[in-house]
């Protein structure tokens, strides 16, 4: 049995040396089976041979592109080395195992293994002068790569810097070392880490050196090094792009894409990751594996390529983060191109991937999940699906709340997500739920009292309105006053602030103060809001609705201060805007503010001289509303309907005059019944005018009936004018 095991081992090695690894693998697996049988009988003698043979089997599996199958084999070998206490073999096997796990996209599992390997190999190097220094340097290189994959770039930086330093020294003293590719690979990782840490100027030198080494290596051995060349060029292109060296970035990126395409069909599956990185090099953001500002055609290709990679590596999560990132950016692009309905399913697919990834690695993927959910919520609101958006908004808030518990840097993101949840709840008219959400948003924005931002003022204005809608006027007043103070202080100071949001916030603060009875204080705030809205409507008519509501509140403030002529102008303009937008019927009544009290309405209309309001049906509708609220205003309603109808008939508009004359006759009949014939003469006059109007419309029989009734009332002799 021993001789057979030895023979199998030698044959397997020879086949591998001849690059016949596919034929070598089953031979080596038979050798491992033979040694396993021997080890069962003579464990002290053959266990080590079994572990070494298993390590070779794992090596061949990786060469054949089956790293997932190699993991359990390496774990078995490691368990044997641990049992035997073979420190050197433990360290080396841990290093190979961790590198395999990183390749499979399982860096969280790889991290403890490579950390242990680094400690073991460092100790061996310190105590055994014969230990190959490359083993320790290589382990540190893998540790840095693992931390980079986990997004822990701050921790990866010193480790990678140390590995670069050691590998540079070893490369200078021993050019024929067995690990020639480690140094440029470590440089490429260092460049990616510095880019991620937003230190592109420092990243540039490492990126350029890595690219130069790989360019030379690929010239002599293109099949082996063109993949590395492609990756290093894509990273260098991203660095140059961030540094605004656009022409150089495009040139390097084109070279990367050219190199990746030259990898050829035989190895296309193996090299597709390099092509993906080359394609997206110029759009890589400083955040690892994220894309930004890429055109639709690029992000669409990104999704397709990552889908292929995920399909090729089904036993691994290595490329699922890339697919999720590509889906997220592609969805963003679709939404930004007014294709929001198409964006939603794309973003939801990204959410599903991120949610699964976050279950096993929350530290790395929970933020991406929150960001993608936030974008889904935005799209659903744009599509007017608030019911579907509400649970998405809630989940986004829950995630940011968890993140902010361990990192206060997420407090602002939490505040923004709470703000959006509050907006969604307003759509459903749930003030009792909106108030605590708005309060938490204000607390999150205002945590740093030394840095009072416009966003804090905007959040306060929304809280003030929530208080107002919940019948808490005192709190609405004080909150609105604080919001107005902050907003007016920031007015015009921050060019990057959302001007529409700022105008709306001023309007909300002014409305809250006005509702609290502080008209003189509310007036300048509302006037500032009006000014901002008028600026906005000059370039974008979408803001006219906001202007109309602001004008409506301004009218209410004017009425309270007795400035009726100005109030009329504001109400008329607001009504016209809202009528054009189809929000309300086309009458001046649309200009009345929603929060105007009955007292103010009565004060306004009961004090207006007749000539202030125009002779139009819109004026009649105002008095109709007033009569519904106050019975003592019913005569004014009847008189106005009659007067406007006569004007329309005299203007040869009998079709418009007829319904108003009929309304006036009905109103006078009711008044006559309740006032003991006190309106007989007015009723007779209205009936006579109604007859004339019907005659003009070619309805002589009805006209005659109206005239006869008018004559009968006059002849009765008991009427009072």
């Amino acid at each position: 049995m021993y001789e057979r095991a030895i023979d199998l081992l030698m044959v397997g090695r020879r086949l591998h040396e001849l690059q016949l690894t596919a034929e070598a693998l089953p031979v080596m697996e038979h050798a491992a089976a033979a040694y396993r049988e021997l080890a069962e009988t003579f464990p002290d003698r053959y266990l080590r041979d079994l572990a070494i043979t298993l390590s070779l089997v794992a090596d061949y599996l990786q060469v054949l592109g089956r790293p997932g199958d190699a993991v359990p084999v390496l774990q078995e070998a490691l368990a044997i080395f641990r049992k035997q206490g073979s420190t050197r073999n433990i360290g080396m096997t841990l290093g190979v195992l961790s590198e395999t796990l990183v390749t499979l996209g399982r860096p969280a599992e790889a991290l403890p293994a490579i950390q242990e390997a680094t400690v073991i190999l460092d100790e061996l190097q310190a105590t055994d002068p014969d230990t190959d220094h490359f083993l320790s340097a290589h382990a540190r290189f893998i540790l840095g790569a693992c931390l980079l994959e986990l997004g822990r770039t701050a921790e990866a930086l010193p480790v990678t810097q140390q590995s670069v330093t050691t590998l540079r020294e070893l490369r200078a003293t021993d050019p024929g070392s067995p690990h020639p590719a480690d140094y440029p690979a470590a440089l490429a990782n260092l460049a990616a880490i510095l880019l991620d840490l937003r230190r592109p100027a420092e990243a540039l030198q490492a990126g350029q050196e890595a690219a130069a080494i790989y360019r030379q290596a690929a010239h002599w051995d293109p099949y082996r090094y063109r993949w590395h060349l492609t990756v290093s060029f894509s990273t260098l292109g991203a660095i140059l792009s961030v540094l605004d060296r656009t022409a150089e970035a495009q040139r390097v990126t084109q070279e990367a894409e050219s190199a990746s395409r030259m990898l050829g069909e035989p190895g296309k599956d193996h090299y597709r990751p390099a092509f993906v990185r080359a394609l997206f090099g110029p759009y890589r953001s400083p955040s690892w594996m994220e894309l930004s500002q890429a055109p639709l055609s690029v992000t669409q290709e990104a999704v397709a390529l990552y889908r292929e990679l995920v399909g090729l590596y089904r036993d691994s999560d290595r490329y699922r983060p890339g697919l999720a990132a590509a889906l997220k950016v592609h969805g963003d692009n679709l939404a930004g191109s007014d294709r929001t309905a198409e964006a939603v399913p794309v973003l939801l697919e990204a959410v599903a991937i991120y949610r699964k990834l976050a279950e096993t690695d929350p530290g790395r993927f929970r933020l991406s999940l929150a960001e993608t959910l936030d974008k889904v919520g935005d799209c659903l609101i744009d599509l007017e699906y608030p019911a579907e958006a509400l649970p998405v908004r809630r989940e986004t808030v829950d995630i940011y709340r968890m993140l902010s518990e361990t990192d206060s840097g997420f407090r602002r993101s939490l505040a923004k997500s709470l703000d959006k949840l509050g907006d969604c709840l307003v759509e459903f008219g749930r003030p009792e739920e909106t108030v605590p959400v708005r309060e938490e948003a204000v607390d999150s924005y205002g945590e740093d009292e030394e840095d009072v931002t416009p966003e804090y003022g905007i959040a306060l204005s929304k809280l003030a309105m929530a208080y107002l809608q919940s019948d808490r006027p005192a709190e609405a007043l004080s909150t609105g006053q604080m919001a107005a103070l902050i907003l007016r202080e920031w007015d015009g100071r921050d060019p990057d602030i959302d001007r529409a949001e700022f105008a709306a916030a001023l309007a909300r603060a002014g409305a809250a103060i006005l509702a609290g009875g502080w008209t003189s204080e509310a007036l300048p705030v509302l006037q500032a809001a009006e000014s901002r809205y008028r600026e906005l409507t000059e370039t974008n008519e979408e803001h006219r609705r906001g202007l109309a509501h602001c004008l409506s509140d301004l009218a209410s403030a004017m009425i309270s201060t007795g400035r009726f002529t100005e109030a009329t102008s504001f109400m008329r303009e607001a009504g016209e805007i809202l009528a054009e937008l189809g929000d309300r019927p086309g009458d001046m009544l649309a200009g009345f503010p929603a929060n105007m009290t009955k007292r103010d309405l009565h004060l306004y209309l009961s004090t207006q001289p007749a000539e202030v309001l125009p002779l139009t049906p819109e004026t009649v509708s105002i008095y109709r509303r007033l009569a519904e609220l106050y019975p003592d205003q019913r005569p004014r309603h009847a008189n106005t309907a009659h007067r406007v109808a006569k004007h329309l008939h005299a203007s040869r508009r009998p079709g418009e005059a007829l319904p108003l004359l009929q309304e006036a006759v009905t109103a006078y009949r009711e008044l006559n019944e309740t006032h003991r014939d006190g309106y007989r003469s007015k009723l007779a006059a209205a009936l006579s005018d109604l007859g004339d109007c019907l005659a003009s419309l070619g309805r002589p029989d009805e006209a005659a009936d109206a005239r006869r009734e008018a004559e009968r009332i006059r002849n009765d002799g008991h009427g009072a004018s």
Side-chain angles (χ1 to χ4, degrees):
M1 179 67 73
Y2 173 70
E3 289 78 7
R4 180 172 182 272
I6 287 290
D7 289 342
L8 288 168
L9 184 65
M10 297 303 293
V11 171
R13 281 183 166 175
R14 182 58 182 157
L15 287 169
H16 177 62
E17 289 169 0
L18 293 171
Q19 297 186 355
L20 298 171
T21 309
E23 290 77 7
L25 177 60
V27 176
M28 197 60 72
E29 287 174 330
H30 283 301
Y35 276 121
R36 186 176 285 109
E37 189 175 338
L38 287 166
E40 289 175 358
T41 308
F42 306 100
D44 295 338
R45 184 174 177 182
Y46 294 110
L47 269 177
R48 183 175 180 277
D49 293 332
L50 172 59
I52 291 172
T53 308
L54 287 169
S55 298
L56 291 171
V57 170
D59 184 34
Y60 296 174
L61 285 167
Q62 297 206 63
V63 170
L64 294 171
R66 296 168 56 187
D69 294 331
V71 170
V73 179
L74 285 167
Q75 289 170 332
E76 184 181 357
L78 178 61
I80 295 171
F81 286 134
R82 286 191 189 282
K83 186 175 181 179
Q84 291 196 317
S86 178
T87 305
R88 182 184 300 276
N89 286 321
I90 291 171
M92 293 174 66
T93 308
L94 281 167
V96 176
L97 175 61
S98 58
E99 190 170 1
T100 305
L101 289 168
V102 170
T103 302
L104 288 167
R106 295 157 62 180
E109 297 174 63
L111 184 59
I114 193 57
Q115 287 172 327
E116 184 183 356
T118 303
V119 171
I120 291 172
L121 294 171
D122 282 349
E123 290 177 354
L124 284 172
Q125 183 176 313
T127 57
D128 185 352
D130 294 330
T131 300
D132 187 351
H133 287 201
F134 267 104
L135 294 176
S136 177
H138 180 72
R140 192 161 271 101
F141 160 63
I142 297 301
L143 175 57
C146 183
L147 290 166
L148 176 60
E149 286 285 333
L150 288 168
R152 295 163 60 173
T153 46
E155 297 170 69
L157 180 59
V159 175
T160 306
Q161 286 173 324
Q162 188 176 354
S163 71
V164 166
T165 301
T166 305
L167 289 166
R168 183 184 286 124
E169 293 171 355
L170 291 169
R171 186 169 180 267
T173 57
D174 185 8
S177 70
H179 301 287
D182 278 13
Y183 176 60
L187 279 171
N189 280 356
L190 178 60
I193 291 166
L194 289 167
L195 176 63
D196 187 76
L197 293 172
R198 289 168 173 77
R199 294 161 62 177
E202 298 170 69
L204 182 60
Q205 183 178 350
Q208 288 174 326
E209 187 178 356
I213 293 171
Y214 280 131
R215 184 184 279 115
Q216 185 177 10
H219 176 74
W220 297 108
D221 191 349
Y223 187 80
R224 182 177 181 185
Y225 289 111
R226 194 167 279 150
W227 183 90
H228 301 86
L229 177 65
T230 302
V231 172
S232 64
F233 273 16
S234 66
T235 302
L236 179 58
I239 295 168
L240 290 166
S241 180
V242 172
L243 291 171
D244 292 328
R245 293 167 62 169
T246 309
E248 295 172 80
Q250 289 177 343
R251 186 168 59 252
V252 169
T253 301
Q254 287 171 355
E255 192 172 351
E257 185 175 342
S258 175
S260 68
R261 293 187 189 279
M262 288 172 65
L263 291 170
E265 287 299 313
K268 68 175 183 179
D269 290 346
H270 178 71
Y271 294 115
R272 190 175 277 105
F275 176 69
V276 170
R277 293 188 66 170
L279 182 64
F280 312 126
Y283 310 110
R284 280 265 308 282
S285 71
S287 180
W288 185 244
M289 292 190 73
E290 291 289 335
L291 305 173
S292 63
Q293 300 178 344
L296 268 173
S297 59
V298 170
T299 55
Q300 189 169 9
E301 189 171 0
V303 171
L305 287 168
Y306 274 117
R307 283 197 200 284
E308 291 184 31
L309 286 169
V310 169
L312 288 168
Y313 294 85
R314 286 192 176 88
D315 60 341
S316 160
D317 281 337
R318 179 171 179 78
Y319 294 105
R320 292 188 190 280
L323 174 58
L327 286 164
K328 177 174 176 284
V329 178
H330 188 49
D332 285 345
N333 279 357
L334 286 168
S337 303
D338 294 327
R339 295 166 62 179
T340 310
E342 297 174 65
V344 171
V346 173
L347 291 166
L348 286 174
E349 185 179 355
V351 165
I353 296 171
Y354 277 134
R355 185 175 281 121
K356 185 175 181 180
L357 291 169
E359 290 175 1
T360 55
D361 194 351
R364 185 182 178 193
F365 295 110
R366 189 175 280 159
L367 174 59
S368 296
L369 174 59
E371 291 172 341
T372 313
L373 281 166
D374 182 62
K375 188 63 183 179
V376 171
D378 291 346
C379 290
L380 290 171
I381 290 297
D382 288 344
L383 293 169
E384 299 182 357
Y385 292 139
E388 289 76 7
L390 186 58
V392 176
R393 294 297 197 208
R394 291 191 192 279
E395 186 178 0
T396 307
V397 166
D398 290 341
I399 296 173
Y400 276 122
R401 194 178 281 126
M402 285 189 286
L403 290 169
S404 64
E405 288 173 357
T406 56
D407 185 347
S408 60
F410 288 108
R411 294 289 293 176
R412 188 166 295 276
S413 297
L414 171 61
K416 290 179 179 178
S417 63
L418 285 161
D419 190 36
K420 291 180 179 181
L421 174 58
D423 292 345
C424 199
L425 288 168
V426 168
E427 291 283 332
F428 288 94
R430 300 181 181 178
E432 69 286 349
E433 294 181 58
T434 307
V435 168
V437 171
R438 296 293 196 205
E439 288 175 332
E440 188 179 355
V442 166
D443 290 343
S444 299
Y445 274 125
E447 191 174 48
D448 185 0
E449 295 181 0
E450 296 181 359
D451 183 25
V452 178
T453 62
E455 289 82 3
Y456 182 44
I458 291 169
L460 281 167
S461 75
K462 291 184 176 182
L463 176 58
M465 288 306 294
Y467 282 141
L468 197 60
Q469 292 163 358
S470 300
D471 295 323
R472 296 162 66 173
E475 293 162 284
L477 174 61
S478 60
T479 307
Q481 289 172 322
M482 189 183 305
L485 182 66
I486 295 170
L487 292 167
R488 298 202 70 190
E489 182 179 343
W490 276 95
D491 195 4
R493 282 177 51 192
D494 187 353
D496 296 327
I497 196 166
D498 187 325
R499 293 166 61 209
E501 188 63 56
F502 195 83
L506 282 168
R508 284 191 294 266
I513 298 170
L514 180 64
W518 291 57
T519 307
S520 60
E521 186 178 337
L523 197 54
V525 180
L526 290 168
Q527 287 171 328
E530 178 206 3
S531 176
R532 299 296 161 267
Y533 270 125
R534 290 199 186 279
E535 291 173 4
L536 288 165
T537 54
E538 288 178 2
T539 56
N540 189 344
E541 292 197 352
E542 290 182 3
H543 300 293
R544 295 180 70 217
R545 182 174 284 104
L547 172 61
H549 292 304
C550 180
L551 291 170
S552 185
D553 284 329
L554 260 176
S556 184
M558 294 296 182
I559 290 168
S560 296
T561 55
R563 296 160 65 175
F564 299 116
T565 302
E566 293 168 89
T568 301
S569 174
F570 285 133
M571 282 192 290
R572 183 177 293 116
E573 184 180 1
E576 290 171 354
I577 293 171
L578 292 171
E580 288 176 17
L581 295 173
D583 280 13
R584 298 184 187 177
D587 58 38
M588 204 173 96
L589 187 60
F592 278 109
N595 62 347
M596 178 183 275
T597 63
K598 288 184 179 181
R599 181 190 66 79
D600 283 341
L601 182 66
H602 182 248
L603 175 66
Y604 173 68
L605 290 174
S606 63
T607 56
Q608 295 308 293
E611 62 271 14
V612 169
L613 297 180
L615 295 174
T616 63
E618 288 83 352
T619 301
V620 177
S621 69
I622 293 174
Y623 282 102
R624 187 184 303 123
R625 167 116 177 247
L626 184 64
E628 292 171 357
L629 294 171
Y630 296 96
D632 64 338
Q633 294 298 313
R634 288 164 61 200
R636 295 192 62 154
H637 164 231
N639 292 339
T640 302
H642 189 189
R643 188 164 59 88
V644 171
K646 288 178 68 176
H647 170 73
L648 291 171
H649 189 225
S651 301
R652 298 182 179 180
R653 294 158 65 185
E656 296 175 65
L658 180 61
L660 295 181
L661 281 167
Q662 291 170 329
E663 183 176 345
V665 167
T666 301
Y668 281 133
R669 286 192 197 282
E670 293 174 354
L671 287 167
N672 201 47
E673 290 176 2
T674 56
H675 289 76
R676 297 182 180 181
D677 293 338
Y679 286 88
R680 288 178 63 86
S681 62
K682 291 184 178 294
L683 174 58
L687 282 165
S688 179
D689 290 333
L690 175 60
D692 293 342
C693 183
L694 288 165
S696 299
L697 292 169
R699 296 160 66 175
D701 293 343
E702 295 171 80
D705 291 342
R707 287 168 176 162
R708 278 195 293 270
E709 184 179 0
E711 187 64 24
R712 180 180 58 76
I713 292 172
R714 287 195 187 99
N715 293 335
D716 192 41
H718 301 289
S721 59

